[in-house]
Amino acid sequence: MDAIAGGCIAMIIEIAAQGGIGGFAAPNLNKRIDVDQQSTQLRRELCKVFGPEQLARLARTPCNACADRLIYRITIIQGSAAPRNFTLREDQLPAQMLDLLDQF
Amino acid sequence: MCFSLSCASHHPITCIIPPHMLRVLALRGDESTARMARSLLKQTEKLRDERNEHATTGPGPHGDFAGLEAQARSDDGSLCCPDRRIHDGEFKAALPGRLLRQEGDPSAGDRDVDLAYDGAGDVFSLFAEEYGRNSLDGAGMPLIATVRHRRNYNNAFWDGSQMAYGTGDGQVFRTFLELSVIGHEMAHGVIQHSGGLIYENQSGALNESIADVFGSLALQRRLGQQVHEADWLVGRGILGPGINGTALRSMKAPGTAYADDMLGQDPQPWHMDQFLTTSDDNGGVHINSGIPNHAFYLFCNYVGGRSWELPGRVWYRALQRLNNPMATFADWADQTMSAATDLAGPGSFETVLLRRAWKLVGIGI
Ligand SMILES: [Zn+2]
């Protein structure tokens, strides 16, 4: 049983960014990722790092130097369940997760 | 060794917040205040250890500003050197990336790397030669920067120990390697090592404003501009070719830097009557910074001449003396008045002009 079958079916990830040195919403950083439409490997990676529990844990990471950081508002839509919203600064996301985001 | 050991005995943090106050803040402050207090306590303890280690070699105490100036001088009295290390992020998020050029290396033949290297040198030189500060921490820390951070990344930042610059996506932004931006990010490092300003609401907007002030001064000094020759823009030319705007912010005319279908209208106010209360952008830190930015511009305009001289010294001295990570605009205005009084004399023309500048943006002192 892989990670996809483990609770990541029909997941949509919506990401909006704002902040940064300009302080404004950066419209080109609005992304919508339909996990089901991705390759098997990408699906596995997305399911692994964008799980709601993982995001909730990251959101609790304290900020040591927050100046000019982008702020991501991430919405996870999964099946018929109510969407879950998370607000994370980019410094709260591990580098591998940011690299994954940058693929879209 | 470039620097005398006197650096350690005059680190600004040791003069900013007394440890007992930090301990109270760590215990009773809200989450972000407590975090900052814990971080400063750690640094204070480290500095105390360093000072004890060098107690037998350091010189005696200096007068305030003379002491600060002494920090950036080597034993033979000459101004000393930055320690720049420019890395290639290779479009990935991990920092710092691959080292491409370090201090003394010739041009890398890589435009981004060379801009980051030269810009870091200009900003180091502003703080060292004009304000007597030895690097961002006042103790000669290396200037580490990463260019080509992430892919199509529309941002630049200071992460607490280094600078990072994206390339921009070519649409909203075309680059971040512009001197006022480099100076802005490095100034965040100076602010952090000068006691810090909590990055939300008014103290956060002050953090942003002070970063804009020294970013702009680094550029004006590089260009040898008098106040009336400067454009007072932060990030001129970094917006993408399709964006209707000239810069990120205007200190001379806040609210006029851009007006674009995608970005909207530059939201910066220049007067307290237009102060924006919002939960976005950490409480509008990049928005309300327009108010203290404009006060600084007005002060420079009244004084005339080179803005990195007396006005820059006043702002730098106020930052070193602020002693309040949660300062409001009014607290900051008071601090700049004290600094101007120290540097230009009580009742001087300059203090009258400074009071007038603050009054014009709606802050009475
Ligand atoms: Zn900033």
Side-chain angles (χ1 to χ4, degrees):
Chain A
M1 189 72 68
D2 65 18
I4 301 166
C8 192
I9 297 166
M11 185 162 94
I12 290 169
I13 305 167
E14 290 180 345
I15 301 169
Q18 63 165 222
I21 185 177
F24 43 69
N28 66 322
L29 281 175
N30 289 351
K31 297 173 192 276
R32 180 184 165 94
I33 305 168
D34 186 339
V35 177
D36 282 355
Q37 301 301 311
Q38 311 307 319
S39 68
T40 306
Q41 191 191 336
L42 261 181
R43 262 188 290 169
R44 285 215 175 90
E45 286 183 49
L46 288 165
C47 288
K48 193 173 154 195
V49 299
F50 282 95
E53 291 72 26
Q54 162 86 339
L55 293 176
R57 186 180 61 75
L58 290 173
R60 291 192 292 271
T61 315
C63 176
N64 292 318
C66 328
D68 297 329
R69 291 310 190 96
L70 293 176
I71 296 165
Y72 293 113
R73 299 201 190 282
I74 302 178
T75 304
I76 304 291
I77 304 163
Q78 213 165 359
S80 56
R84 296 185 65 179
N85 298 301
F86 303 89
T87 301
L88 293 110
R89 291 182 318 276
E90 59 180 327
D91 58 285
Q92 294 176 310
L93 304 179
Q96 301 92 316
M97 201 166 166
L98 295 170
D99 288 339
L100 187 57
L101 254 185
D102 287 345
Q103 292 186 37
F104 294 93
Chain B
M1 277 290 286
C2 263
F3 297 101
S4 74
L5 294 170
S6 62
C7 302
S9 64
H10 291 283
H11 193 290
I13 285 177
T14 58
C15 317
I16 298 296
I17 309 177
H20 68 272
M21 198 185 292
L22 286 175
R23 280 190 283 275
V24 171
L25 287 171
L27 283 172
R28 298 184 193 163
D30 61 25
E31 197 189 340
S32 54
T33 312
R35 261 198 316 269
M36 172 166 289
R38 282 195 297 271
S39 154
L40 289 176
L41 269 172
K42 261 191 203 161
Q43 292 179 49
T44 306
E45 281 160 15
K46 185 167 167 269
L47 286 163
R48 194 187 305 130
D49 293 345
E50 285 172 8
R51 204 162 44 215
N52 290 340
E53 205 175 304
H54 300 310
T56 54
T57 51
H62 292 279
D64 314 321
F65 212 61
L68 290 171
E69 281 175 356
Q71 287 177 28
R73 293 176 187 277
S74 60
D75 290 339
D76 65 2
S78 61
L79 280 166
C80 203
C81 34
D83 177 6
R84 289 166 285 184
R85 302 173 193 179
I86 314 298
H87 299 253
D88 185 355
E90 298 177 312
F91 303 103
K92 297 286 188 185
L95 292 171
R98 189 161 59 93
L99 181 62
L100 281 187
R101 187 177 178 190
Q102 55 187 325
E103 196 59 44
D105 284 351
S107 163
D110 177 320
R111 185 177 152 77
D112 285 354
V113 170
D114 292 341
L115 285 169
Y117 183 90
D118 294 342
D122 287 334
V123 179
F124 179 93
S125 162
L126 169 75
F127 282 104
E129 293 170 24
E130 302 299 336
Y131 314 129
R133 186 182 190 85
N134 178 9
S135 192
L136 308 183
D137 64 347
M141 77 182 285
L143 302 174
I144 302 168
T146 299
V147 300
R148 296 189 281 270
H149 177 63
R150 298 181 58 183
R151 185 170 302 283
N152 294 327
Y153 182 62
N154 279 331
N155 200 21
F157 61 84
W158 160 258
D159 82 342
S161 55
Q162 72 154 93
M163 292 74 73
Y165 307 99
T167 57
D169 63 355
Q171 293 181 304
V172 181
F173 287 100
R174 62 172 97 211
T175 183
F176 288 89
L177 291 164
E178 185 275 337
L179 186 51
S180 66
V181 172
I182 293 170
H184 176 104
E185 296 310 334
M186 291 174 69
H188 277 309
V190 172
I191 294 163
Q192 173 188 315
H193 287 284
S194 302
L197 279 161
I198 291 170
Y199 203 65
E200 58 190 20
N201 304 322
Q202 287 202 17
S203 56
L206 284 174
N207 195 324
E208 273 304 308
S209 172
I210 294 165
D212 277 352
V213 161
F214 289 109
S216 178
L217 293 182
L219 178 62
Q220 292 178 36
R221 183 171 181 267
R222 169 82 238 163
L223 299 175
Q225 291 175 324
Q226 305 273 319
V227 58
H228 298 106
E229 295 166 329
D231 59 20
W232 293 92
L233 296 171
V234 177
R236 181 178 186 165
I238 72 169
L239 294 173
I243 300 291
N244 184 32
T246 51
L248 286 180
R249 292 181 278 280
S250 167
M251 299 175 71
K252 183 176 182 177
T256 65
Y258 56 88
D260 180 77
D261 287 345
M262 186 154 47
L263 297 182
Q265 168 85 35
D266 175 359
Q268 282 212 310
W270 62 269
H271 191 280
M272 285 302 283
D273 285 353
Q274 277 79 47
F275 184 93
L276 186 73
T277 302
T278 173
S279 59
D280 287 343
D281 185 30
N282 295 295
V285 297
H286 294 92
I287 299 171
N288 294 314
S289 56
I291 296 167
N293 273 2
H294 195 55
F296 182 75
Y297 162 77
L298 289 171
F299 178 46
C300 294
N301 200 34
Y302 295 153
V303 171
R306 298 163 155 184
S307 299
W308 61 88
E309 294 184 343
L310 180 85
R313 285 186 195 121
V314 167
W315 250 239
Y316 180 74
R317 186 180 184 87
L319 178 62
Q320 299 313 302
R321 301 297 182 83
L322 182 62
N323 200 12
N324 180 4
M326 292 173 287
T328 62
F329 288 1
D331 294 332
W332 174 249
D334 283 342
Q335 199 63 51
T336 63
M337 274 303 292
S338 299
T341 304
D342 291 346
L343 294 174
S348 61
F349 191 49
E350 289 84 355
T351 58
V352 173
L353 297 177
L354 180 58
R355 184 172 280 112
R356 185 183 297 173
W358 282 115
K359 191 177 176 193
L360 255 167
V361 302
I363 296 170
I365 43 175

